[in-house]
């Protein structure tokens, strides 16, 4: 119980405007959400309601941010969990946690007077990995419970639930999760391009003093291949370098040093895991 309470986090509000780049992912997500809120029409037309959206792409590209923004956009409560929280030694514990997650989301929505809840499950591949022919893993029950919850999502009264899951390894997912009526909307969240990187840098520079002549285009160019999370680190490290330098503002050289540091840090991390 303790573990469950510790890990399930309630996170602050966030809008799509606070997410840099990712224009097509934002657009696709908003379109899906716009459709979702027209629930009466959906019902009239006999359209199968959208239950799950799968966000796929490398780590640190803003998948969690997109899920949070989706909750804000649809005026829903936001409940987040990670696939690894459901993997337990004892059979049935993970399944129980899935049940609680859905129950919690409904309770919170009702308490806060909201019509809907967004449940975000990061690292869905941990519980939703492919089930190889006949081989039963002890946490198959967890996946089965998730499928059961998804199937029953609209048989119960409001609050409605939208499930958003994220993975870096879509090809690993069990086909049961990808079937129509489950996670049938997939949105790719790629590493940002140069324009996206610049946008992300600008967002993370907002609360930082920058020299007037700083060239963020150049920084965006030099940070090719960086994720949003790495760009956030670059801005943070640059501020640290400026402070160490006894300066009042962040200069271009601090940005370049920060890029090197983040790049090197990643390399060292990778080497240490080999
Ligand atoms: P993971 O797959 O590792 O869970 P993720 O794709 O969910 O990663 P987030 O948790 O959304 O990534 O991003 C981590 C942090 O990186 C954010 O809190 C934010 O500071 C920064 N970040 C990532 N992407 C963006 C973005 N597109 N715009 C602004 N900040 C970003």
């Amino acid at each position: 119980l303790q573990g469950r309470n510790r890990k399930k986090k309630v996170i602050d509000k966030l809008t799509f405007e606070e997410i840099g780049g990712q224009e097509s992912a934002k657009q696709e997500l908003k379109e899906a959400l716009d459709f979702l809120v027209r629930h009466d029409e959906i019902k009239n037309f006999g359209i199968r309601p959208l239950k799950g959206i799968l966000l796929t792409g490398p780590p640190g590209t803003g998948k969690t941010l997109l899920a949070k923004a989706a909750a804000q956009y649809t005026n829903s409560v936001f409940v987040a969990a990670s696939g690894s929280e459901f993997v337990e030694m004892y059979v049935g514990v993970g399944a129980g946690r899935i049940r609680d997650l859905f129950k919690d989301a409904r309770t919170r929505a009702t308490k806060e007077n909201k019509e809907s809840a967004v449940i975000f499950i990061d690292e869905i591949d941990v519980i939703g990995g492919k089930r190889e022919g006949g081989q039963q893993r002890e946490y198959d029950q967890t996946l089965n419970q998730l499928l059961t919850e998804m199937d029953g999502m609209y048989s119960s009264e409001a609050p409605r639930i939208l499930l958003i899951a994220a993975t870096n390894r879509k090809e690993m997912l069990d086909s049961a999760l990808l079937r129509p009526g489950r996670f049938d909307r997939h949105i790719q969240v790629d590493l940002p391009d140069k324009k996206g990187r610049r946008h992300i840098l600008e967002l993370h520079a907002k609360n930082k003093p920058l020299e007037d002549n700083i060239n963020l285009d150049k920084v965006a160019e030099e940070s090719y291949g960086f994720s949003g999370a790495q760009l956030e680190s670059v801005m943070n490290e640059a501020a640290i370098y400026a402070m160490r330098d006894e300066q009042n503002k962040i200069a271009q050289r601090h940005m370049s040093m920060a890029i090197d540091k983040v790049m090197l840090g990643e390399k060292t991390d990778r080497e240490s895991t080999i």
Side-chain angles (χ1 to χ4, degrees):
L1 191 92
Q2 221 178 13
R4 192 171 72 225
N5 287 345
R6 181 166 45 83
K7 283 173 191 151
K8 212 177 291 164
K9 28 190 190 210
V10 180
I11 306 173
D12 294 330
K13 296 188 165 77
L14 183 121
T15 64
F16 282 114
E17 283 70 45
E18 292 161 77
I19 303 175
Q22 304 302 354
E23 296 309 330
S24 62
K26 281 196 261 184
Q27 188 59 29
E28 277 181 62
L29 185 54
K30 277 194 209 165
E31 271 168 25
L33 298 171
D34 285 338
F35 190 69
L36 190 80
V37 291
R38 299 167 65 180
H39 39 87
D40 289 338
E41 289 165 80
I42 291 177
K43 210 168 160 191
N44 282 343
F45 274 101
I47 296 169
R48 176 163 31 77
L50 180 64
K51 290 181 180 176
I53 299 177
L54 184 69
L55 306 176
T56 52
T61 44
K63 297 185 288 299
T64 308
L65 301 181
L66 285 165
K68 277 192 224 174
Q72 177 83 351
Y73 191 74
T74 53
N75 193 25
S76 308
V77 294
F78 180 70
V79 180
S82 171
S84 51
E85 291 169 38
F86 302 99
V87 179
E88 284 293 331
M89 251 169 66
Y90 299 104
V91 176
V93 175
R97 284 189 187 162
I98 292 278
R99 242 189 327 265
D100 288 351
L101 181 69
F102 279 75
K103 214 164 96 192
D104 268 18
R106 289 199 175 92
T107 313
R108 271 199 47 213
T110 310
K111 234 193 226 159
E112 294 179 32
N113 241 334
K114 305 264 171 134
E115 282 186 16
S116 48
V118 166
I119 297 181
F120 175 63
I121 305 182
D122 202 1
E123 298 182 276
I124 187 79
D125 45 285
V126 176
I127 45 173
K130 278 196 179 104
R131 294 179 284 196
E132 305 288 332
Q135 232 181 13
Q136 290 289 315
R137 299 170 318 193
E138 76 278 11
Y139 47 90
D140 267 0
Q141 277 198 12
T142 311
L143 176 56
N144 286 338
Q145 186 60 40
L146 180 65
L147 299 175
T148 307
E149 293 288 349
M150 289 187 88
D151 292 345
M153 247 153 71
Y154 290 98
S155 55
S156 53
E157 288 300 299
R160 290 180 309 281
I161 287 185
L162 173 67
L163 197 53
I164 301 184
T167 180
N168 313 323
R169 304 184 297 171
K170 184 171 144 189
E171 68 289 349
M172 300 285 290
L173 291 184
D174 195 279
S175 56
L177 272 176
L178 305 174
R179 207 172 285 159
R182 304 263 173 78
F183 287 100
D184 49 9
R185 193 70 59 99
H186 301 174
I187 298 176
Q188 183 66 28
V189 190
D190 280 321
L191 287 172
D193 59 8
K194 187 180 156 200
K195 202 167 149 221
R197 291 197 296 278
R198 190 192 152 112
H199 188 187
I200 296 170
L201 286 164
E202 273 167 21
L203 288 172
H204 289 287
K206 265 191 183 154
N207 63 347
K208 296 184 172 59
L210 298 188
E211 291 273 13
D212 292 338
N213 63 357
I214 227 159
N215 183 347
L216 282 186
D217 269 334
K218 188 164 175 256
V219 182
E221 207 164 288
E222 287 174 354
S223 52
Y224 174 84
F226 278 32
S227 67
Q230 286 172 309
L231 293 166
E232 190 271 337
S233 275
V234 166
M235 283 311 305
N236 196 54
E237 293 295 338
I240 294 172
Y241 280 125
M243 250 185 84
R244 274 198 204 139
D245 229 4
E246 306 285 346
Q247 301 297 311
N248 294 328
K249 291 186 173 174
I250 301 171
Q252 194 75 31
R253 66 175 185 286
H254 302 130
M255 299 294 316
S256 301
M257 285 155 77
I259 290 179
D260 288 348
K261 165 130 202 237
V262 172
M263 214 183 278
L264 202 73
E266 290 295 311
K267 222 173 131 201
T268 332
D269 280 355
R270 260 205 306 274
E271 275 162 7
S272 61
T273 56
I274 291 172

